[in-house]
Amino acid sequence: MRERVIKMIATAVTVAVLILGIPAAVIGGILVWQAESYALESQTQALANTVERRVKEGEPVDQAIIVSWLQGAREHEHHYVRVNIPGRETLVVGKPLDPPRLRAAIVIPSGSTVRVETSAWSALWRIMRLVLALASGMIASLAVGWWLALRGSRRISAPLIYLAAQAEQIGSGQVRARVKPSGIEEIDLVQDELARTGERMAGRLAAERQFASNASHQLRTPLTALSMRLEEIELLAENPEVANEARVCLEQVERLTTVIEDLLNATKETSGNTEAIHLLEVFNQQREEWEEQYTKQGRELIFTDEAAQPVLADQSVLGQVLATLIENSLRYGDGTTRVVARTGATSRGVFIDVSDEGNGVGEDIAPHIFDKGVSGHGSSGIGLPLARALIQSVGGRLELYEEKPAVFRISLSAVPASLDPDIVMPKGAVVSMGRRRRRF
């Protein structure tokens, strides 16, 4: 793709330069030659006017007049002048010139003829300089065109490479953060549509996984109750045939339970490593784990879910990443620690900001805060790199959004409203167990 773009742009520039440059060189050379011819004719006309005036006034016309004219016009050795006056001796100054040469002949009213020849090498040299200047400009234009072709090809090919990476991630069942707009409308349209397709696919995979989990739970609960009833019938039955039928039914129930387990495992293997989760569940878990420790240090830990929509992630992974950020804020931060979930500008993403009121991250280590072994407080420097790797494994992103005060941002993909687990997932059916009725 990149080579084709380079060839197309380079070919277009080359054709344009040749179409404009070659005619410009030809026309420029013709104009220079004509300018030299017009200059020689003007000088010859001036000499002819002088000769005509002297002839009318009866004054002598000699070689001194021609030599004086040559001194005011051009160098003597580059000219050949011949003045033919009727009834007088023909005046000749210089020697006939070899080609290339310029000629001019003027016939004055008295019948006299003034012919001037001059060397054309000066005109040819001016034409050569003009051609060289145009050739230099053409070469410079080709160089600039080639440079623009390389740059333009990178600008076009890079977004296509990112699109291929996004398509590969969609094929693997994961959702990656969207790349920045390329500025090329067609590519950005494809990128947006690919991002929407990835979100829909990931949402459906998460919904299928959660549905399989719920369906497995809904089926295993009554199957367990049914197994218990069959075991009870088998043990209490006095008729051997009834006991035998109960045993056969119990085997069928166990086989059905095994099939459900196999289907659930297959669904987990093919649905990727993300699922639709509610942030409030993760926030409540982290609050129970860390609120007591914050209270002991006289600090406050506040969780706020302004997004109020499910996200695509792994609950254990997200909990571990949040725990790392909250622990760092407890150890190295100060004041109130806030964990706030907000909706992105396009409502396709959710941002979780973890911030406090401490001194923040130093400018010297901020660019390398996620490198292994980098720490401003003498720790191992492994927690943040590990947290970033974990969140990237489920299609998210972790970055240092602000340095002072420190704000760490987790970016996750939001589940589209049409794939909200609370809407897609059916509620459990009413299962009858003897006299008791319970909804699972």
Side-chain angles (χ1 to χ4, degrees):
M1 175 65 184
R2 185 178 179 185
E3 293 180 357
R4 291 182 181 180
V5 173
I6 293 175
K7 289 181 180 179
M8 290 174 58
I9 298 177
T11 301
V13 172
T14 302
V15 171
V17 168
L18 293 178
I19 290 177
L20 296 177
I22 294 178
V26 174
I27 294 173
I30 294 174
L31 293 177
V32 171
W33 185 269
Q34 290 179 348
E36 291 288 332
S37 299
Y38 293 155
L40 180 62
E41 289 180 0
S42 298
Q43 295 170 359
T44 304
Q45 184 66 49
L47 177 59
N49 293 337
T50 302
V51 172
E52 177 69 11
R53 181 177 56 79
R54 284 182 171 272
V55 170
K56 286 184 178 181
E57 294 177 357
E59 297 180 1
V61 179
D62 53 13
Q63 292 184 347
I65 296 175
I66 300 175
V67 172
S68 176
W69 172 81
L70 289 174
Q71 290 176 352
R74 294 172 179 263
E75 295 182 359
H76 177 71
E77 60 269 22
H78 292 162
H79 283 77
Y80 171 70
V81 181
R82 184 183 179 90
V83 179
N84 187 8
I85 304 175
R88 298 187 185 184
E89 182 181 0
T90 300
L91 300 177
V92 178
V93 176
K95 297 180 180 181
L97 301 177
D98 297 328
R101 59 177 179 260
L102 295 172
R103 293 179 178 180
I106 302 295
V107 179
I108 56 181
S110 63
S112 302
T113 303
V114 178
R115 293 183 176 87
V116 178
E117 295 182 0
T118 184
S119 175
W121 284 111
S122 61
L124 293 177
W125 174 240
R126 290 183 61 188
I127 293 174
M128 290 177 62
R129 286 188 296 179
L130 175 63
V131 172
L132 289 175
L134 289 175
S136 300
M138 293 170 63
I139 294 174
S141 299
L142 290 175
V144 172
W146 185 262
W147 177 76
L148 291 175
L150 292 175
R151 184 175 180 180
S153 65
R154 284 194 297 267
R155 183 185 176 189
I156 295 175
S157 61
L160 294 177
I161 294 174
Y162 294 145
L163 286 179
Q166 282 185 301
E168 188 276 332
Q169 294 299 330
I170 291 175
S172 64
Q174 298 183 7
V175 178
R176 293 287 179 178
R178 298 177 61 204
V179 298
K180 295 181 179 179
S182 63
I184 304 175
E185 182 180 0
E186 292 78 5
I187 295 180
D188 290 341
L189 289 175
V190 176
Q191 177 182 311
D192 292 340
E193 185 59 32
L194 188 60
R196 286 192 292 269
T197 301
E199 292 169 359
R200 288 194 295 266
M201 290 182 63
R204 289 190 177 95
L205 289 174
E208 290 176 3
R209 182 176 180 181
Q210 190 165 351
F211 174 77
S213 177
N214 290 348
S216 175
H217 173 73
Q218 294 173 18
L219 290 173
R220 280 182 298 190
T221 301
L223 286 175
T224 301
L226 182 59
S227 298
M228 296 174 61
R229 296 294 297 272
L230 290 173
E231 290 176 355
E232 183 179 358
I233 293 174
E234 182 183 9
L235 292 175
L236 299 179
E238 297 179 356
N239 191 334
E241 294 182 1
V242 175
N244 184 54
E245 289 297 329
R247 180 181 57 79
V248 173
C249 293
L250 185 60
E251 291 177 356
Q252 295 294 331
V253 171
E254 292 177 353
R255 185 178 298 110
L256 181 58
T257 304
T258 303
V259 171
I260 293 173
E261 292 289 346
D262 293 340
L263 291 176
L264 180 60
N265 293 333
T267 303
K268 290 182 177 179
E269 292 176 359
T270 59
S271 62
N273 57 353
T274 60
E275 59 182 341
I277 63 175
H278 291 283
L279 292 178
L280 281 179
E281 298 178 1
V282 183
F283 285 178
N284 291 333
Q285 176 189 358
Q286 296 299 315
R287 180 184 291 107
E288 294 176 0
E289 182 177 352
W290 295 100
E291 192 171 31
E292 183 178 354
Q293 300 184 40
Y294 270 80
T295 303
K296 290 180 179 179
Q297 294 193 12
R299 295 177 57 185
E300 189 176 5
L301 178 61
I302 300 176
F303 291 87
T304 306
D305 183 12
E306 298 179 0
Q309 64 182 118
V311 298
L312 293 173
D314 185 276
Q315 186 165 348
S316 61
V317 169
L318 181 58
Q320 185 173 350
V321 173
L322 283 176
T324 300
L325 299 178
I326 294 172
E327 182 181 9
N328 286 347
S329 177
L330 178 63
R331 296 176 59 184
Y332 311 123
D334 195 7
T336 301
T337 297
R338 301 180 183 275
V339 182
V340 182
R342 299 184 178 90
T343 305
T346 60
S347 72
R348 296 181 184 173
V350 172
F351 302 136
I352 303 176
D353 292 338
V354 180
S355 62
D356 56 44
E357 300 171 351
N359 296 326
V361 180
E363 297 180 357
D364 54 337
I365 66 171
H368 312 285
I369 192 66
F370 293 103
D371 295 344
K372 289 185 178 180
V374 176
S375 175
H377 303 278
S379 61
S380 61
I382 298 178
L384 288 178
L386 179 59
R388 169 176 271 189
L390 287 174
I391 203 65
Q392 287 178 349
S393 67
V394 295
R397 186 173 69 250
L398 174 61
E399 59 183 341
L400 178 60
Y401 188 69
E402 293 182 8
E403 297 179 6
K404 295 183 180 180
V407 178
F408 288 89
R409 170 165 290 183
I410 301 173
S411 302
L412 298 170
S413 297
V415 177
S418 60
L419 297 175
D420 192 330
D422 294 335
I423 300 175
V424 176
M425 299 303 114
K427 295 184 178 180
V430 176
V431 179
S432 176
M433 294 171 48
R435 296 182 178 178
R436 294 172 295 174
R437 298 172 63 88
R438 182 179 179 185
R439 184 180 295 273
F440 290 94

